[in-house]
Amino acid sequence: MNIFVLLKRTFDTEEKIVIKNGQIEDDGAEYIINPYDEYAVEEAINLRDEHGGEVTVVTVGEEDSEKQLRTALAMGADKSVLINTEDDLEEGDQYTTVKILEAFFADKEADIILAGNVAIDEASGQVGPRLAERLDIPCITTITDIKVDGENVNIERDVEGDVEKIETSLPLLVTCQQGLNEPRYPSLPGIMKAKKKPLEELELDDLDLEEDDVEQKSRTTEIFLPPEKEAGKVLEGESDEQVKELVSLLKTEAKVL
Amino acid sequence: MNFELTKEQEMTRKMVRDFAVETIQPRAIDIDKNGEFPEDIFKEMGKLGLLGIPFPEEYGGAGGDTVTYALAAEEIGRVCGSTGLSYAAAVSLGASPLYYFGTEEQKQEYLVPLAKGEALGSFGLTEPNAGSDAGGTKTTAKLEGDHYVINGEKCWITNAEYARSITVTAVSGKREDGKNIISAFIIPQDTPGMSIKSDYDKMGVRGSNTSEIVLEDVKVPKENILGDPEGGFKQFLHTLDGGRISIASLAVGIAQASLDRALEYAKERKQFGQAISNFQAIQFKLADMAMEVELARNMVLKAAWLKDQGKPFTKESAYAKLFASETAFRSANQAIQIHGGYGYMREYEVERYLRDAKLLEIGEGTSEIQRLVIARQLGC
Ligand SMILES: Cc1cc2nc3c(=O)[nH]c(=O)nc-3n(C[C@H](O)[C@H](O)[C@H](O)COP(=O)(O)OP(=O)(O)OC[C@H]3O[C@@H](n4cnc5c(N)ncnc54)[C@H](O)[C@@H]3O)c2cc1C
Ligand SMILES: Cc1cc2nc3c(=O)[nH]c(=O)nc-3n(C[C@H](O)[C@H](O)[C@H](O)COP(=O)(O)OP(=O)(O)OC[C@H]3O[C@@H](n4cnc5c(N)ncnc54)[C@H](O)[C@@H]3O)c2cc1C
C-alpha cells in the first residue's frame, strides 16, 4: 500500500502561550507533532505492517519542522517530505496548504492519505476534506477504527460520541480522531534508524507553483487569548441548601438555566 | 565549543520525558510508599531500547552515546528516584562491565539480553566489611578443575533479585607481593548456592530493589571469569567511573524536580497577602537552586562528552557525581522548606526527593571518596 500521512508541527497548547504584538511568541513555546496527526502516523504504520507498502509523512512548514518529521520516522514511518515555504511565503491559510498538497499529490498515486481530525493550533479541520475534494477521492472524517481488505475499507467514525459505520474503498483520505489507537513512543533503535531514513525537501518551485497560485483566501484580523478564568466559588452548608443555592446561581448569575 | 544537543539526543530526551511523565510519574508515590520494584515499567523501558542506549547495535543496544544515556537517566530521575537508581545500576553496573571487559562469548550470552532490555543485570562489589575500601573484599573464588567455587557475602546490591546474571568480585589469589588478586565472575541467576534476600527497610529509593547475596560453594565454569583474571580491581574502578555519570544525571533530575515543584508552589502559595515568591528570602533560594541545577547538568554533560570522545574523564565524573548529588540534596531540602508544612507530607513528593537524593551521596562512592578521587587526580 502506498500510504501518506499529513503532519503539522504545532505549539503545545498545554504549555503557556504568550501573545505579543498580535502574534504568538515563538520563543519559549514548545513545539510538537499535532496530537491528532500522531494517531495518523500510528495508524499508517499499523496499516503498513499489516498490508505491506510504505509510509511517507508530508508536512508543509519550515526548516524547524524537520524535528517532527524525524520523530515520525523514529516511530516507524519510511520516508518524509518537507515542503518548505519559509523563503517563499509570509503567510498562508488552509487554501494555501491544500493547493500545495494538491500539487504534491498530483503524481503520487496514494492508496490512502491519513490526516489529523484537526490541528490543535487553529483547529479548522479543513485541510483533510478540502484536499480529498481537490484529489477527487472519498473523505471520511473523525475515524476511530479502520479495516482494509483489498480495495474495500470498513470504517467506524465518531459522530459526537455515537459511532457511525461506513463502507468505502481505496483510494481514500481519512482524518483521525482520538480513540483510533495509542500512538507509540519512538524507540531508541527507531530514533537511531531515523537518522538514515530519507527526508526530502521541496520548495514551491519544485512543485511548479508560484507564490500567486497559493495566495491565501482569508485574513487573520486578530489573535487573542481567552479571558482569564475568574476564581471559583465554594458553596457552604448542608448539601440540599447547596443544591438550591447552585440552582439559583445558575439562573440569576450564570444565566444558563 | 557547541552546547547544542544532536537531533537524536533531543528526540530521546523528549521521548523519555513523555514516557516518564505519563507512565512512571503517576506511580512514583506508591512505588516509594510500598517499596515495590516496578518490574513492568522496566519491561516497557526495555522495549523502548532505554536499557541498551550506550551499547552498539551488534550487542543488542541502540548505538547511542553517553550523553544520550545521561539525558535519559536525568528524565527518569526527575519523576522517580527508585526507578532512576535501578535504571542507572542496570545499565552502568549490570551491563557495562560485560561490554567493557567481557569476551565475545560472554557478550553474546550475557550482555545481549540486557542491552535488548529483555532482562536486568546487577553488580556485586560491596560487602558488609568492604564498602569504600572495596580492595578489602573477603569473598573468595578458588579454581577447582574447570570450575571456580565462590564463597562470601555481598550487601546492598541493586537489582540482584531481578537480575538474569550478577557480576561479583572475589579474591582469586595472591600476587607475588602478597596483595590479593581480585577478579570478577558472572554468576547466572538460579546458580545453586547463591541466595538472595531483599529485606532492607530503606530510607529512600525504596522501590529500587536492594539485595543481600550469600554465596555458599557457588560453582561457575572457569569461562565465567570476566575478562582479565588479574584485572578485577581495575575493572571495577573503570566501571564506577562510568557509573558516576549516571548517578550524577539522576541527581540532576531530582534537583530539577525540586526546583520545578518549589517554583510552582511558591508562585501559588499566598501568605501575608501575596505569593511567597514575592519574598526575597524565597527568591534567593530559588535562584540558588536554578543556578546549581544548571551547573550540575553542565558538569554531567561535560563528563559524558569526555567519555564519548575517548578522553580521560575520571576527575570530571567525580566532580559531576559529587556536585550533582550534593546539589540534589540541597535542592530537595530547600524545596521542602519552601513548601512549609505541606513539604513534610508525602503527597507533595518533595520529602521523597530528599530521601532519594541522600542515597546519591553514598552509593557508587561516597562524597568523601569522590573527594579522594579528585585529590588523587590532583596528584596528592
Ligand atoms: C540503596 C543502595 C544501593 C546500593 N547498590 C549497590 C550495588 O548495586 N552494588 C554494590 O556493589 N554496592 C551497592 N551499594 C553499596 C554502596 O556502594 C556502599 O554503601 C558505599 O560504597 C559506601 O560503603 P559503606 O556503606 O560500606 O560505607 P563505609 O565505607 O563504611 O563508609 C562510612 C563512612 O566513612 C567514610 N569513609 C570511608 N573511607 C574513608 C576514607 N578513606 N576517607 C574519608 N572518609 C572515608 C565514608 O565516606 C562514609 O561517610 C548500595 C548501597 C545502597 C545504600
Ligand atoms: C508535623 C507538623 C506538626 C505541626 N504541628 C502544629 C501544631 O501543633 N499546631 C499548629 O498550629 N501548627 C502546627 N503545624 C504547622 C506549622 O507550624 C506550619 O507548617 C508552619 O508554621 C509553616 O506554615 P506553612 O506550612 O503554612 O508554611 P508557609 O507559611 O506557607 O511558608 C512557606 C514558605 O514560605 C516562607 N515564608 C512565609 N512567609 C514569609 C515571609 N514573609 N518572608 C519570607 N519567607 C516567608 C516560609 O518560611 C516557608 O519557607 C505543624 C506542622 C507539621 C508539619
Side-chain angles (χ1 to χ4, degrees):
Chain A
M1 252 167 113
N2 199 8
I3 306 166
F4 286 85
V5 176
L6 309 183
L7 178 145
K8 186 176 187 186
R9 166 182 187 265
T10 61
F11 48 80
D12 190 348
T13 49
E14 292 191 8
E15 301 282 322
K16 196 171 166 58
I17 291 167
V18 180
I19 291 182
K20 218 172 155 186
N21 305 328
Q23 294 291 335
I24 292 162
E25 275 266 283
D26 252 358
D27 303 350
E30 276 286 325
Y31 283 88
I32 54 172
I33 296 180
N34 175 40
Y36 291 98
D37 302 348
E38 278 189 347
Y39 300 127
V41 174
E42 176 69 28
E43 202 59 27
I45 295 168
N46 292 338
L47 285 172
R48 180 207 54 202
D49 290 350
E50 202 184 328
H51 303 282
E54 206 171 54
V55 174
T56 307
V57 181
V58 189
T59 194
V60 178
E62 305 184 344
E63 201 63 48
D64 289 338
S65 313
E66 184 182 335
K67 201 171 148 201
Q68 282 65 36
L69 286 178
R70 290 267 174 225
T71 304
L73 291 172
M75 287 171 76
D78 302 290
K79 299 199 295 196
S80 61
V81 181
L82 167 61
I83 305 174
N84 191 343
T85 58
E86 198 161 346
D87 295 336
D88 294 330
L89 300 178
E90 282 280 308
E91 288 174 303
D93 64 3
Q94 293 80 7
Y95 174 82
T96 313
T97 307
V98 170
K99 197 78 188 159
I100 293 171
L101 288 172
E102 183 190 356
F104 172 78
F105 278 103
D107 59 353
K108 290 296 179 294
E109 302 201 357
D111 290 309
I112 185 164
I113 302 172
L114 298 102
N117 168 30
V118 292
I120 57 168
D121 49 4
E122 287 165 359
S124 82
Q126 292 186 26
V127 171
R130 286 173 71 168
L131 178 64
E133 183 64 27
R134 303 297 310 174
L135 299 178
D136 198 22
I137 57 176
C139 170
I140 316 290
T141 56
T142 60
I143 71 163
T144 53
D145 191 59
I146 178 165
K147 299 261 176 323
V148 178
D149 182 8
E151 293 289 295
N152 299 327
V153 185
N154 284 293
I155 285 178
E156 288 182 10
R157 61 183 297 265
D158 169 49
V159 272
E160 313 261 322
D162 284 328
V163 178
E164 186 177 21
K165 296 190 176 178
I166 292 180
E167 284 180 29
T168 177
S169 62
L170 300 179
L172 172 72
L173 187 147
V174 295
T175 73
C176 302
Q177 171 68 312
Q178 191 171 10
L180 177 62
N181 54 41
E182 225 11 270
R184 70 194 68 192
Y185 296 104
S187 73
L188 246 300
I191 289 171
M192 295 301 167
K193 273 189 215 127
K195 227 186 325 195
K196 296 171 209 139
K197 290 183 180 173
L199 193 149
E200 187 186 1
E201 205 174 314
L202 301 175
E203 295 195 2
L204 289 190
D205 221 23
D206 302 307
L207 298 171
D208 287 330
L209 289 170
E210 299 293 329
E211 282 156 53
D212 292 345
D213 299 335
V214 300
E215 197 188 346
Q216 65 197 82
K217 300 281 186 200
S218 62
R219 205 159 50 83
T220 303
T221 51
E222 200 185 344
I223 296 178
F224 53 91
L225 291 172
E228 287 263 355
K229 214 169 120 189
E230 285 173 33
K233 196 176 250 180
V234 179
L235 304 179
E236 281 170 17
E238 296 295 322
S239 31
D240 50 349
E241 284 169 35
Q242 286 190 38
V243 170
K244 272 185 203 141
E245 194 182 344
L246 177 65
V247 171
S248 96
L249 285 174
L250 287 174
K251 276 186 183 149
T252 55
E253 260 186 34
K255 300 200 166 83
V256 292
L257 293 183
Chain B
M1 261 321 232
N2 181 2
F3 282 95
E4 208 97 48
L5 296 176
T6 66
K7 289 211 173 59
E8 289 72 36
Q9 289 162 349
E10 284 272 14
M11 254 195 265
T12 306
R13 181 165 67 178
K14 172 155 191 336
M15 178 271 278
V16 182
R17 178 172 299 178
D18 290 347
F19 172 76
V21 168
E22 287 159 26
T23 311
I24 309 176
Q25 166 79 56
R27 288 172 50 191
I29 290 179
D30 284 340
I31 287 172
D32 170 67
K33 192 168 164 185
N34 307 328
E36 58 190 26
F37 180 72
E39 208 181 352
D40 58 322
I41 289 179
F42 277 88
K43 293 223 166 85
E44 286 188 53
M45 291 185 358
K47 282 191 203 134
L48 289 173
L50 295 180
L51 292 163
I53 293 181
F55 309 114
E57 285 167 35
E58 54 181 314
Y59 297 120
D65 53 15
T66 313
V67 169
T68 309
Y69 168 47
L71 295 169
E74 179 186 333
E75 291 303 330
I76 296 169
R78 203 162 79 110
V79 301
C80 179
S82 292
T83 308
L85 180 69
S86 278
Y87 172 63
V91 177
S92 291
L93 301 184
S96 290
L98 300 170
Y99 173 56
Y100 297 140
F101 311 113
T103 61
E104 187 58 30
E105 291 77 36
Q106 288 170 342
K107 286 181 192 162
Q108 292 301 337
E109 167 67 30
Y110 297 104
L111 172 62
V112 169
L114 304 186
K116 279 188 171 167
E118 295 163 358
L120 295 175
S122 182
F123 186 67
L125 177 66
T126 307
E127 301 184 358
N129 293 306
S132 298
D133 181 15
T137 299
K138 296 282 185 296
T139 299
T140 58
K142 286 208 173 66
L143 187 61
E144 292 181 4
D146 51 7
H147 282 79
Y148 278 98
V149 178
I150 305 172
N151 277 287
E153 206 180 311
K154 298 285 173 183
C155 61
W156 308 316
I157 307 306
T158 303
N159 298 341
E161 192 184 331
Y162 294 88
R164 181 175 179 271
S165 62
I166 304 171
T167 306
V168 300
T169 51
V171 177
S172 60
K174 273 201 194 308
R175 289 201 313 227
E176 279 173 8
D177 62 3
K179 286 206 175 136
N180 284 337
I181 299 172
I182 295 181
S183 317
F185 298 88
I186 306 168
I187 310 181
Q189 186 72 281
D190 297 331
T191 303
M194 176 164 73
S195 53
I196 299 174
K197 268 203 322 239
S198 318
D199 293 341
Y200 301 117
D201 192 2
K202 300 193 295 283
M203 170 187 182
V205 293
R206 292 173 53 79
S208 174
N209 171 254
T210 314
S211 304
E212 183 187 322
I213 305 176
V214 178
L215 304 153
E216 275 177 332
D217 292 330
V218 174
K219 272 175 79 175
V220 295
K222 214 166 60 181
E223 304 81 69
N224 280 29
I225 196 163
L226 181 65
D228 176 5
E230 312 224 335
F233 197 77
K234 278 211 196 98
Q235 286 174 9
F236 71 67
L237 288 184
H238 185 81
T239 302
L240 293 179
D241 279 348
R244 278 177 195 131
I245 295 176
S246 61
I247 294 293
S249 308
L250 177 52
V252 172
I254 294 180
Q256 180 70 54
S258 303
L259 169 63
D260 293 344
R261 287 298 173 89
L263 179 61
E264 193 186 315
Y265 184 83
K267 285 181 181 165
E268 277 169 15
R269 175 69 171 172
K270 288 205 171 69
Q271 288 290 283
F272 303 99
Q274 50 188 315
I276 60 170
S277 63
N278 288 339
F279 301 132
Q280 202 176 55
I282 300 289
Q283 289 173 356
F284 279 20
K285 284 188 205 297
L286 290 167
D288 285 343
M289 287 161 81
M291 170 184 71
E292 288 188 33
V293 171
E294 186 67 14
L295 293 177
R297 181 179 294 118
N298 280 347
M299 195 62 238
V300 173
L301 292 178
K302 179 171 178 190
W305 179 84
L306 286 169
K307 183 165 190 282
D308 286 333
Q309 303 303 309
K311 295 182 196 285
F313 64 97
T314 301
K315 187 173 63 183
E316 288 77 6
S317 68
Y319 288 160
K321 200 260 183 188
L322 175 59
F323 186 70
S325 60
E326 296 194 352
T327 291
F329 188 83
R330 275 192 298 270
S331 300
N333 191 27
Q334 293 294 22
I336 298 175
Q337 193 62 24
I338 290 171
H339 278 72
Y342 294 99
Y344 203 70
M345 305 297 144
R346 192 188 293 271
E347 189 191 339
Y348 284 79
E349 300 194 271
V350 287
E351 62 82 35
R352 185 184 81 235
Y353 298 162
L354 184 83
R355 290 186 285 109
D356 288 351
K358 187 64 211 173
L359 184 269
L360 307 180
E361 295 180 315
I362 297 171
E364 292 194 42
T366 62
S367 289
E368 290 73 22
I369 296 302
Q370 302 309 317
R371 290 183 166 89
L372 271 182
V373 169
I374 295 165
R376 282 211 189 113
Q377 291 288 319
L378 297 177
C380 300

